[in-house]
Amino acid sequence: MLKTEELQINIGPQHPSTHGVFRMLVTVDGETITDLKPVFGYLHRNHEQLAEMNTYQQNMPYTDRLDYFNAMANNHAYAIAVEKLVGIEVPERAEYIRVLMVELTRILNHAGALGFLINDMGAWQTQLAFGMREREKILDLFESASGARLMCNYFRFGGVARDLPADFMPRLKDLLLAMPGFVDEMERLLRENEILLQRSEGIGILPQELALAYSVTGPVLRGSGVAYDIRKAEPYSIYDRFDFDVPVGSVGDVYDRILVRIEEMRQSKRIIEQIIEQLPDAQGGYMNPKARQNVRPPVGDVYARVETPKGELGFYLVSDGSTKPYRYKVRAPSFINLTPLGDMCRGYKVADVVVILGSIDIVMGEVDR
Amino acid sequence: MDIPRGNIIVMDRRRGKLRVGQGLIQGLKVVWDHWAGSFHKNENFSQIHGTFTVEYPDERLPLPQTYRNMPVLLYDDESGHELCTGCYQCQRICPPQVIHITQAKDPVTGKMVPAATEFIIEYDACMSCGFCAEVCPFDSIKMDHVYELSTADRVSLTMRKAQLNRPISYYASIAPDLWAEVQAGAMKKLQGSIKRRPDVIGLAAVLTEKIKARRLELAAAAAAAPAAAAPAPAAPAAPAAKLTPEEKAAKLAAMKATNANKGVAAPPAKAPVELSPADAKAAKLAAIKAANAAKQAGAAAPPAEVPAELPPTDAKAAKLAAIKAANAAKKAAEQGNSE
Amino acid sequence: MPNLRAEDLRALLGRDLPGLLQEAYPLHLAPPPAHGHAPPPFTTADALVDADRIIEAALYLRDTLGYAFLSDICVVDYLADGVFELVYRFYHVEGGPSLALKARVPRESPQVPSLTPHWPGANFHEREAFDLYGITFVGHPFLRRIYMWDEFEGFPMRRDFPKQGDKYIGEEE
């Protein structure tokens, strides 16, 4: 009998598969993982304290930097939180524009996330390039509406910064023409690919009970079979006006998360189609003319959350009646989704760690804050 | 559980009717299709095949009008006046606090003038959020479309006003619709600001010819007064009808100069202990004017002196004027000598 | 879809777990100014429970009421009153709005029982609260700094932490 010894190794912080500066302290027995501790904070900038030193309005562009893939979704969460605290009404048209942007964000995030995941599995750049191409088109739309591709800073309290440009809708319709083809193609490429099945089926299983206990959200929770989508569970904005389905997995492995993400892109497309139908009838402009930007909310606290592509993003704000928040807390989805990483990886091989991490879909700007 | 307006779909994990290896081939077909498609160009958003990249440095994608990179300051092509009034709105709202403004002051009266003498934006720390452009009530700050800003050192990204100035025609060329929306209001506000700007304050620093022309114009206005005053002190200094601020200032300076000239010859006036930059500038300006005036009068002015007795309220102004006149006289004398 | 409000939770907790609820006295957000109006104090409608019995209250929410999803743990530093307030936020898996449990601990000796043995998802929340506010969670299996490096002194999110200056600047190598 050979005597084996446990070995501690570091994966990261500078490692291409860690999606940023993220370190995993892995204890291995041979190739098998016996323990894994995520270590982070390399990108920590005390975002929350910066926010307490700024006014409510000045914080809006900083929320872009949380999850820099989904700036629009972050803007949405923060705008909802402040609007709830102050009591600002949002015109209907502005709500439609917001939801449109957030759903486009969801498509681009999943296209990118799946690309990166397949990249981690070793299909170097193929799927990533296809995903990035679709993402690029959506970013072009964002740029024409907000002026920036990633750091959009598009939402304001009581609406959005400016109305959609004239050429936005025709381009969006073009994009939607291409979208089913793109998603079907992605599914053809991935769904029954033997290599992908080998790498993802039965890997990184997170059972339903554990997923709930670990407070994970987003596609990771739904991949584990819990049909919990904030858009349905606690509808915010105007999500109660749209028909869409919630995809869930049955096993809770990496493969389920891939399938859930692919289906979510289709559902987002469904929502966007309904928006295009309903938008011309929407009342009000893109901005509530009575809404002040330099808000001075009454003393109180508020928690508002949205379903970003990565999960539940919540803002807890305490106001002391001044223009600056007394407390500003971000409940970041990728940060909490990392909690079960150790349990998900235990018992699998080192090569599976990068796949499991990729299937959680983290962004370090949000994890480290 | 059931959800409103939708169903819960449990993802189907079953395989299709593919045999071993066929899934792989199906995936490879997708890759092959893309490779084959990459020989033609992707024309629009409705296509998913084809090349959609461009050869960047040679070929550039058109930028949308709303694109924002770094803030710049606009000035009017015709008058050369900047739209900025130094109202500090952008400095206050800037999240990373990279905008620094010095408001202009009237050199003679010391009052605030709706213009900025210095305007610094630290491009290296700017986060391109566009709040400054959004909040600017005079539509003076706009977001530029230039994105190739890399430098070898940090300091050269600290942009001063001269580097930030762009003509309105430039902005109108990169964002015609956005400018058309605000043009009328912005130009109206600019006319209001110009009326309250004396001297060359508010002229874009890059327009050296415009500034030179304006200075000459002002000097001529200033000269008109002392030229008339020198031979006959009792003569009216200037026509009373015109009373725009700069003319008023010029008249005042001229009057001070004549008063000083009238005084008895005496040792040159002492410089005051402390001179604020604005005062120094004003004094210099007045001195230039007086010098010009003296030259035009054709007589080397005698060194001036502080009048012995003056009401206390006038003392300061008179002292200042005396210094100016003295300097002017000295300069005039020097010029006379050199000629 | 369950739709309990904060008042309902207070009533339920008062009925089923006597002695657990505390009276939520108003908190001051700023020290009283030398002159002029003091800003109104912060009052909360959420259930304020005894910090030592937080596990009991949380388990009641999970097992009796079905609010099994611990979404967020947030610490707020009320410097003027010398307390930290912890906000635990729970959701029902069926949907609906959140229920919040609040607990107050003194700033001098902030100690709360850890929820991590019951909710593994509380792990990072509690480590974050320890790192940034210095709250000790008794019973946490791995209470270490999460963002700052281990040698860091002080708790940067506390309101009395100096906002400027850096003690590492100028130190000899």
Side-chain angles (χ1 to χ4, degrees):
Chain A
M1 185 72 192
L2 263 170
K3 185 170 165 288
T4 59
E5 207 174 304
E6 286 200 337
L7 180 70
Q8 272 209 337
I9 54 169
N10 276 314
I11 303 182
Q14 305 290 344
H15 192 274
S17 75
T18 54
H19 302 216
V21 270
F22 174 63
R23 179 154 70 97
M24 286 172 283
L25 191 58
V26 186
T27 314
V28 287
D29 180 9
E31 271 280 299
T32 312
I33 302 214
T34 56
D35 192 24
L36 184 145
K37 279 194 169 54
V39 183
F40 37 81
Y42 300 96
L43 223 57
H44 181 59
R45 54 207 181 273
N46 224 344
H47 173 84
E48 290 171 7
Q49 193 165 61
L50 277 175
E52 284 165 23
M53 291 154 82
N54 284 336
T55 63
Y56 287 94
Q57 186 185 7
Q58 286 175 339
N59 283 334
M60 185 59 87
Y62 284 104
T63 60
D64 292 339
R65 274 100 179 139
L66 278 173
D67 174 357
Y68 38 79
F69 243 74
N70 310 319
M72 293 281 194
N74 303 340
N75 282 182
H76 198 194
Y78 182 61
I80 285 181
V82 175
E83 280 156 9
K84 219 164 141 186
L85 191 60
V86 188
I88 301 176
E89 299 260 318
V90 185
E92 214 171 80
R93 184 179 166 80
E95 290 277 26
Y96 277 103
I97 296 175
R98 284 179 172 193
V99 174
L100 168 64
M101 292 300 175
V102 173
E103 292 307 317
L104 282 174
T105 300
R106 201 178 310 277
I107 293 173
L108 82 82
N109 176 74
H110 288 344
L114 286 175
F116 284 120
L117 171 59
I118 309 304
N119 199 11
D120 289 346
M121 286 183 183
W124 198 72
Q125 289 288 330
T126 308
Q127 175 58 43
L128 183 60
F130 300 163
M132 283 289 154
R133 186 199 55 223
E134 293 313 304
R135 176 171 176 265
E136 205 62 21
K137 293 174 181 172
I138 298 173
L139 290 183
D140 279 353
L141 288 179
F142 283 179
E143 193 182 25
S144 72
S146 72
R149 294 154 59 79
L150 290 178
M151 304 293 125
C152 299
N153 187 21
Y154 186 51
F155 289 32
R156 298 287 178 272
F157 310 137
V160 291
R162 53 171 76 86
D163 208 347
L164 297 175
D167 62 343
F168 188 90
M169 275 300 160
R171 288 168 85 185
L172 178 66
K173 282 171 188 162
D174 271 358
L175 181 74
L176 289 188
L177 285 180
M179 192 57 68
F182 159 66
V183 180
D184 290 348
E185 193 187 73
M186 186 184 255
E187 195 165 0
R188 271 211 306 283
L189 177 61
L190 301 181
R191 191 179 170 101
E192 296 191 37
N193 192 321
E194 274 86 357
I195 301 173
L196 181 106
L197 288 169
Q198 289 271 322
R199 293 299 304 274
S200 64
E201 250 187 332
I203 302 291
I205 294 178
L206 186 66
Q208 189 168 340
E209 301 76 40
L210 214 55
L212 270 177
Y214 267 119
S215 313
V216 296
T217 45
V220 184
L221 180 66
R222 289 192 285 277
S224 295
V226 185
Y228 191 80
D229 187 320
I230 301 168
R231 293 174 294 170
K232 293 285 190 195
E234 194 190 357
Y236 54 93
S237 194
I238 49 166
Y239 273 110
D240 48 356
R241 297 186 195 178
F242 305 118
D243 296 315
F244 62 98
D245 301 337
V246 176
V248 296
S250 45
V251 178
D253 57 359
V254 174
Y255 188 57
D256 264 342
R257 281 169 223 142
I258 294 174
L259 296 181
V260 165
R261 288 209 171 92
I262 293 177
E263 187 58 34
E264 273 189 16
M265 293 205 285
R266 294 208 174 100
Q267 299 303 330
S268 286
K269 179 182 165 275
R270 261 179 85 185
I271 298 177
I272 293 170
E273 278 166 351
Q274 293 169 53
I275 291 173
I276 293 176
E277 264 171 39
Q278 298 175 17
L279 184 62
D281 304 331
Q283 302 295 310
Y286 62 92
M287 184 77 195
N288 180 352
K290 277 182 257 167
R292 283 187 57 203
Q293 290 306 306
N294 197 8
V295 292
R296 198 180 276 273
V299 173
D301 64 343
V302 74
Y303 181 81
R305 55 175 192 161
V306 303
E307 178 82 28
T308 71
K310 296 196 164 54
E312 173 188 337
L313 174 68
F315 281 92
Y316 180 71
L317 301 174
V318 178
S319 160
D320 60 351
S322 71
T323 54
K324 296 179 181 179
Y326 184 82
R327 177 79 169 103
Y328 166 105
K329 152 99 189 181
V330 185
R331 189 258 187 230
S334 358
F335 172 60
I336 302 306
N337 286 0
L338 271 180
T339 324
L341 185 65
D343 270 9
M344 280 156 78
C345 291
R346 193 165 295 123
Y348 296 102
K349 302 281 187 270
V350 174
D352 294 330
V353 171
V354 289
V355 177
I356 295 168
L357 182 70
S359 75
I360 297 178
D361 183 17
I362 58 164
V363 156
M364 292 316 287
E366 188 173 63
V367 174
D368 286 345
R369 293 202 296 290
Chain B
M1 75 180 262
D2 52 300
I3 49 175
R5 304 199 67 158
N7 306 308
I8 296 169
I9 324 172
V10 179
M11 296 312 300
D12 186 7
R13 289 169 64 95
R14 285 172 306 167
R15 313 276 169 83
K17 287 183 185 129
L18 298 184
R19 282 196 229 114
V20 178
Q22 281 188 337
L24 207 59
I25 290 164
Q26 186 181 301
L28 278 174
K29 173 137 193 331
V30 172
V31 180
W32 172 265
D33 286 348
H34 273 286
W35 182 77
S38 68
F39 289 101
H40 69 83
K41 187 139 177 59
N42 188 331
E43 296 298 343
N44 60 36
F45 275 21
S46 59
Q47 297 176 352
I48 57 169
H49 291 268
T51 311
F52 68 114
T53 50
V54 295
E55 303 278 328
Y56 157 60
D58 307 325
E59 193 186 341
R60 280 150 205 260
L61 290 171
L63 290 169
Q65 289 189 29
T66 46
Y67 176 74
R68 48 170 217 262
N69 196 36
M70 291 289 166
V72 290
L73 282 174
L74 297 187
Y75 67 83
D76 183 22
D77 293 73
E78 284 156 36
S79 64
H81 273 274
E82 286 165 354
L83 274 66
C84 176
T85 63
C87 66
Y88 296 103
Q89 293 273 357
C90 47
Q91 183 177 329
R92 238 173 261 146
I93 202 168
C94 181
Q97 310 267 298
V98 296
I99 301 182
H100 311 279
I101 304 176
T102 314
Q103 178 139 32
K105 265 187 190 166
D106 191 311
V108 182
T109 58
K111 280 186 187 151
M112 292 295 188
V113 173
T117 48
E118 188 50 286
F119 197 105
I120 299 173
I121 302 181
E122 298 166 46
Y123 270 15
D124 51 338
C126 171
M127 69 200 286
S128 302
C129 64
F131 272 159
C132 48
E134 221 165 275
V135 81
C136 182
F138 300 94
D139 291 294
S140 162
I141 288 203
K142 291 290 171 195
M143 303 308 277
D144 200 2
H145 285 198
V146 174
Y147 46 84
E148 286 158 332
L149 292 163
S150 54
T151 57
D153 58 339
R154 193 183 71 81
V155 182
S156 48
L157 280 173
T158 302
M159 295 292 179
R160 306 183 79 91
K161 200 175 74 170
Q163 295 157 289
L164 291 169
N165 272 324
R166 301 279 186 285
I168 283 177
S169 55
Y170 166 74
Y171 182 66
S173 71
I174 59 172
D177 295 348
L178 296 183
W179 176 244
E181 271 172 34
V182 297
Q183 184 174 16
M187 296 316 282
K188 201 175 159 202
K189 283 173 189 162
L190 175 66
Q191 294 311 321
S193 305
I194 290 177
K195 280 201 192 110
R196 295 165 56 206
R197 287 177 179 170
D199 200 27
V200 294
I201 292 171
L203 281 169
V206 283
L207 304 173
T208 42
E209 269 123 55
K210 274 236 156 70
I211 292 176
K212 216 186 267 169
R214 175 83 180 133
R215 277 194 203 283
L216 281 177
E217 195 185 302
L218 284 172
K242 294 185 259 170
L243 274 173
T244 59
E246 54 267 44
E247 277 159 358
K248 233 163 140 181
K251 205 168 119 190
L252 207 66
M255 265 156 72
K256 280 174 190 162
T258 26
N259 281 339
N261 281 346
K262 271 193 291 182
V264 204
K270 296 166 286 183
V273 186
E274 71 274 306
L275 258 178
S276 72
D279 286 347
K281 210 171 148 197
K284 215 164 108 191
L285 220 61
I288 295 163
K289 282 174 198 157
N292 285 337
K295 221 159 88 183
Q296 288 225 342
E305 185 239 10
V306 189
E309 60 280 324
L310 267 172
T313 43
D314 281 0
K316 208 172 152 194
K319 210 164 126 192
L320 203 70
I323 295 156
K324 285 173 195 163
N327 286 338
K330 220 158 80 184
K331 206 158 175 185
E334 274 165 21
Q335 274 169 355
N337 290 343
S338 65
E339 278 162 14
Chain C
M1 202 178 277
N3 199 359
L4 281 179
R5 286 167 305 158
E7 305 89 80
D8 306 333
L9 175 67
R10 280 214 313 270
L12 282 171
L13 280 177
R15 194 191 68 198
D16 292 348
L17 296 170
L20 188 80
L21 269 182
Q22 287 181 340
E23 198 207 340
Y25 55 90
L27 291 165
H28 298 92
L29 293 163
H35 53 81
H37 294 289
F42 172 76
T43 52
T44 178
D46 293 319
L48 181 72
V49 299
D50 188 353
D52 296 329
R53 295 173 64 190
I54 187 76
I55 295 180
E56 206 180 318
L59 287 179
Y60 175 78
L61 250 72
R62 184 179 77 178
D63 300 335
T64 313
L65 303 179
Y67 280 69
F69 190 83
L70 173 63
S71 164
D72 186 27
I73 300 176
C74 172
V75 187
V76 192
D77 183 0
Y78 293 100
L79 182 62
D81 283 298
V83 292
F84 289 123
E85 188 176 77
L86 287 94
V87 185
Y88 296 79
R89 199 161 292 276
F90 293 88
Y91 282 99
H92 201 291
V93 189
E94 300 278 309
S98 67
L99 283 183
L101 285 180
K102 293 189 175 177
R104 287 174 189 169
V105 287
R107 287 183 101 250
E108 292 77 42
S109 56
Q111 268 200 358
V112 195
S114 169
L115 285 190
T116 308
H118 302 276
W119 272 273
N123 186 341
F124 283 5
H125 286 306
E126 289 180 349
R127 276 180 71 188
E128 188 189 347
F130 168 74
D131 186 2
L132 303 180
Y133 283 95
I135 292 173
T136 314
F137 290 91
V138 181
H140 191 287
F142 189 70
L143 197 62
R144 292 263 298 277
R145 286 192 177 273
I146 192 164
Y147 288 137
M148 312 306 289
W149 53 103
D150 285 339
E151 298 80 20
F152 188 83
E153 288 165 25
F155 302 103
M157 278 296 284
R158 288 192 178 188
R159 288 192 91 80
D160 52 0
F161 190 83
K163 297 266 193 300
Q164 302 211 317
D166 188 340
K167 72 184 183 105
Y168 297 97
I169 290 178
E171 250 180 27
E172 293 292 317
E173 284 291 358

